[in-house]
Amino acid sequence: MPDYCFFKKGKHMAILERSDAEGASRLAGQGFKKQFEEISAPDTQRALARFADIRKEEKTTVHAFATGAAFIALTTGLLIVAVFILQ
């Protein structure tokens, strides 16, 4: 199974086999930035689908962390205010 790497420029995404150094150099020259993820897959379509899944998981994790932390901070603030009011 080949390994694929991803390049992004704005909203455009390109996918290459990791061994394609010439293609990677060409994309870098066009302003594409290599993404961190490298994926083993039977073909480019499945690699791209897995890449999308990974990005979706990352966004979900960041959102869950941010909303969880905000909820805890808000709850703590309300508890502190309630303690001062009840005293």
Side-chain angles (χ1 to χ4, degrees):
M1 219 177 329
D3 292 330
Y4 293 97
C5 54
F6 303 88
F7 294 82
K8 185 175 181 181
K9 180 180 177 184
K11 292 185 178 186
H12 300 283
M13 182 70 66
I15 181 171
L16 293 175
E17 285 192 29
R18 188 172 63 175
S19 61
D20 187 358
E22 183 179 318
S25 177
R26 186 182 71 249
L27 287 173
Q30 294 174 2
F32 281 81
K33 301 290 182 193
K34 186 176 185 298
Q35 302 300 293
F36 176 75
E37 295 83 355
E38 292 185 358
I39 297 172
S40 294
D43 56 43
T44 58
Q45 295 296 338
R46 290 183 188 174
L48 195 55
R50 179 63 187 132
F51 180 77
D53 287 344
I54 289 170
R55 287 294 171 103
K56 183 178 177 185
E57 289 171 12
E58 288 174 356
K59 287 180 182 178
T60 302
T61 301
V62 169
H63 178 71
F65 179 76
T67 56
F71 177 73
I72 290 171
L74 179 61
T75 304
T76 302
L78 290 174
L79 288 174
I80 289 171
V81 170
V83 167
F84 282 117
I85 290 174
L86 294 175
Q87 285 184 350

